[in-house]
Amino acid sequence: MHLESQLHDYFSSKASKLEFSGSVLIASKGRIIINASYGLANREHGVPNTPITKFRIGSITKQFTAMCVLMLEQQGKLSLEDPLSTYVPSFPHASQISLHHLLTHTSGIPNITQISNFQEFMKHPAPPEKIIEMLKDLPLDFMPGSQFLYNNSGYIMLAHLIQEISEQTYGEFLRKSIFAPLGMEDTGCDSHHEIILHRASGYEYRDGLINAEYIDMTLPTGGGNLYSTSEDLYKWDQALYEESLVPQNVITRMFTPYCSNYGYGWFIDTGSESSRRVYHGGGIAGFKSEISRYIDDKLTMIFLNNLATTDIGQISADVRRFLTNREFI
């Protein structure tokens, strides 16, 4: 059976069991193996997912924020060694926290999504400035640079810095610096108020399908507020093999494993395989996604999904094993 057909059968089976609902794009050495969609973008109206369906990508957003910071450094407008006090002087311990710490989840700043009243707090507008004011009242989890703890707060702070330094909104800077140059016309900042064509609705499975909880998308600005399509993320993936945005030495720094093998907006995993993997998942109210890049093989796997209870990690592992051994479990 043809490779694409086997992958199609796998994802069709997952979709029929409500274990996947979304878009899949897998490519090897610049050749697309499969670019297909499954399940429904809107279940109330029976609208199917397609390759142009826009999904919230959650924390995959972080790699775009990291690229913005690296581009500003290339422009001489900041240094990753700058202390946070240069930009937010009133923030506690800011002189001990560098931009590198924010990028690598080693700042010690508490994770805003772990605060006790987050489930209620997330339903209200909360731009980066408001988050920073809230974080000022919380003690550090650890001394900056001493350990790794995955943290959305650092990337929200970086979004604030991008806005202050560039004198543009976070979305404007992304659009002008990354999305427009790469032709990523279906990627942007999600907003409850805007009419966004082909946007998927988010769902969860709890003894049956339900609509996802509402979250105001100003809250995760910089850390998880973008939407995209599988085809747009493939354009992003391909650009990272070239010097479309920044020189190769900057891309190398992005993919350098720092504390706990986290780079700048990417997890780095050499594992037991010969192929080096850089990847990141994204999970946010009704959505669960992942992009994996096996750089040495030039293999890319993109899974965008509007069913939050999907085990994307298992699907990613299944597909990689299948591509290696031609056998699904």
Side-chain angles (χ1 to χ4, degrees):
M1 186 183 294
H2 191 270
L3 177 58
E4 181 180 2
S5 298
Q6 291 175 296
L7 288 166
H8 174 70
D9 288 348
Y10 171 81
F11 282 101
S12 295
S13 175
K14 288 289 185 183
S16 69
K17 295 182 285 187
L18 292 177
E19 293 177 355
F20 184 79
S21 174
S23 293
V24 179
L25 193 153
I26 299 171
S28 176
K29 297 179 174 66
R31 182 180 66 86
I32 294 176
I33 298 170
I34 185 172
N35 179 19
S37 301
Y38 305 86
L40 297 175
N42 184 283
R43 293 183 179 271
E44 287 86 348
H45 297 284
V47 178
N49 282 316
T50 73
I52 63 170
T53 299
K54 299 179 177 76
F55 299 84
R56 289 178 180 171
I57 62 172
S59 287
I60 294 175
T61 298
K62 291 181 173 67
Q63 57 203 245
F64 292 99
T65 302
M67 178 60 82
C68 289
V69 173
L70 290 168
M71 293 175 84
L72 286 170
E73 184 181 49
Q74 282 291 293
Q75 296 168 18
K77 296 180 178 178
L78 59 79
S79 166
L80 299 195
E81 300 310 312
D82 287 343
L84 181 58
S85 55
T86 302
Y87 309 99
V88 191
S90 62
F91 196 85
H93 307 288
S95 63
Q96 300 171 271
I97 300 169
S98 69
L99 304 193
H100 171 83
H101 291 146
L102 297 177
L103 285 164
T104 56
H105 303 289
T106 57
S107 70
I109 296 172
N111 189 351
I112 192 67
T113 59
Q114 299 299 314
I115 63 173
S116 60
N117 62 337
F118 180 74
Q119 290 300 312
E120 177 58 32
F121 172 68
M122 74 179 192
K123 299 175 182 178
H124 305 284
E129 299 75 30
K130 183 174 180 179
I131 302 296
I132 291 171
E133 285 300 314
M134 290 183 62
L135 292 170
K136 284 181 178 180
D137 297 329
L138 302 176
L140 292 180
D141 287 335
F142 52 83
M143 289 301 297
S146 65
Q147 58 182 285
F148 171 95
L149 185 63
Y150 189 82
N151 186 328
N152 290 286
S153 301
Y155 276 78
I156 292 171
M157 299 191 83
L158 289 167
H160 170 71
L161 267 59
I162 290 165
Q163 294 183 146
E164 291 295 304
I165 294 169
S166 70
E167 298 182 335
Q168 302 173 54
T169 68
Y170 174 75
E172 287 171 344
F173 188 82
L174 279 169
R175 180 173 54 81
K176 293 177 182 178
S177 302
I178 299 177
F179 302 153
L182 299 184
M184 296 174 65
E185 298 178 356
D186 294 320
T187 303
C189 296
D190 202 2
S191 166
H192 172 70
H193 302 289
E194 291 183 31
I195 304 298
I196 299 175
L197 297 180
H198 309 299
R199 172 169 51 182
S201 299
Y203 301 95
E204 298 179 9
Y205 192 90
R206 298 181 189 172
D207 298 322
L209 282 171
I210 62 170
N211 289 307
E213 288 291 320
Y214 174 77
I215 180 171
D216 189 290
M217 291 301 287
T218 60
L219 190 156
T221 298
N225 68 313
L226 296 183
Y227 65 81
S228 190
T229 65
S230 52
E231 293 179 350
D232 264 14
L233 288 183
Y234 182 57
K235 293 176 182 177
W236 164 244
D237 160 75
Q238 292 296 288
L240 293 174
Y241 286 113
E242 303 169 355
E243 295 185 327
S244 304
L245 300 173
V246 292
Q248 183 58 50
N249 68 302
V250 177
I251 296 174
T252 299
R253 289 172 65 202
M254 174 178 268
F255 295 142
T256 297
Y258 301 105
C259 189
S260 294
N261 285 345
Y262 196 87
Y264 293 153
W266 294 85
F267 287 97
I268 319 296
D269 178 21
T270 54
S272 58
E273 299 174 304
S274 60
S275 183
R276 183 165 46 110
R277 177 193 184 209
V278 298
Y279 69 100
H280 214 293
I284 188 167
F287 296 83
K288 189 76 70 67
S289 304
E290 183 183 283
I291 178 171
S292 285
R293 306 178 70 241
Y294 292 85
I295 295 177
D296 300 328
D297 290 344
K298 290 195 173 180
L299 170 69
T300 302
M301 305 192 308
I302 298 166
F303 309 107
L304 302 183
N305 166 72
N306 62 326
L307 185 57
T309 39
T310 295
D311 189 345
I312 285 290
Q314 185 60 57
I315 287 174
S316 180
D318 284 351
V319 172
R320 176 58 176 165
R321 182 171 53 247
F322 170 71
L323 293 174
T324 303
N325 304 319
R326 294 294 191 272
E327 179 180 352
F328 281 120
I329 294 178

